[in-house]
Amino acid sequence: MNEQHDNGALRADLQALPRALRTLHKALIDVETVYFGAVGSAVEHLHLITHHPHFAWLQPISALMAALDEALDEPDKLSAQAAAGWRAAIEELVGPGAPDGTGFRAHYLVLLHDAPEVAMAHGALRQLLAALPQRLR
C-alpha cells in the first residue's frame, strides 16, 4: 500500500482486523481447550482461559485485540505510520516479524501446524495485514 492511502481507507483496513483477530483467537482457544480437556460450563471455561496457566500464553493476543479496539474507537485520524505500527505489532505475534519475546510465537507455531482452523484464520489475517503499510526500516 502506498502513502497516498487516505485516512478512510486506512480506518477501513484496520477495522477489518479485529474480526480476523477474534476468529484467530477463538480458533486458538478452541484447540487449546481440546488439549486441556473437559472444562465444564461456559463460565468455568472463561475462568480457565483468563486465569489458568495453560492458557496464559494467549494473553499477548488478547491484550493486542483490546488495544486495537480502543484505538479504533478514537475519532482521531489514523496515519500510515500508526497503521504500520499495528501491522508490526500483530506480525510480532503471528509472524513474519521478529517474535515479541513473550513465548507466544512458539505456542502459536505449534497450533498453526496442528490445526487447520488456526491455519485458515492465520491466512485470512495475513491477507488483511498485507493491505496495511509496512514500517520503513
Side-chain angles (χ1 to χ4, degrees), residues 1-62:
M1 180 177 83
N2 65 35
E3 291 300 316
Q4 301 295 326
H5 206 75
D6 67 31
N7 187 57
L10 276 174
R11 185 169 287 280
D13 288 342
L14 282 171
Q15 286 175 326
L17 287 176
R19 172 176 240 120
L21 284 167
R22 281 190 293 276
T23 299
L24 177 61
H25 191 252
K26 183 181 182 324
L28 294 169
I29 288 171
D30 289 349
V31 174
E32 276 300 305
T33 299
V34 169
Y35 291 164
F36 183 82
V39 295
S41 72
V43 172
E44 291 168 326
H45 191 208
L46 178 60
H47 182 77
L48 283 172
I49 292 166
T50 57
H51 294 92
H52 195 279
H54 182 84
F55 295 92
W57 72 272
L58 291 164
Q59 290 174 353
I61 195 169
S62 302

Side-chain angles (χ1 to χ4, degrees), residues 24 27-28 31 108 111-113 115-123:
L24 177 61
L28 294 169
V31 174
Y108 182 75
L111 296 189
L112 182 60
H113 293 285
E117 60 272 31
V118 172
M120 290 173 31
H122 174 85

Side-chain angles (χ1 to χ4, degrees), residues 67-122:
L68 178 57
D69 283 341
E70 285 181 20
L72 289 172
D73 283 345
E74 293 298 320
D76 299 336
K77 287 188 176 184
L78 294 168
S79 67
Q81 181 178 357
W86 285 110
R87 177 180 178 165
I90 294 167
E91 287 179 342
E92 286 175 0
L93 290 177
V94 303
D100 73 346
T102 64
F104 176 90
R105 179 83 63 91
H107 284 85
Y108 182 75
L109 289 175
V110 169
L111 296 189
L112 182 60
H113 293 285
D114 284 354
E117 60 272 31
V118 172
M120 290 173 31
H122 174 85

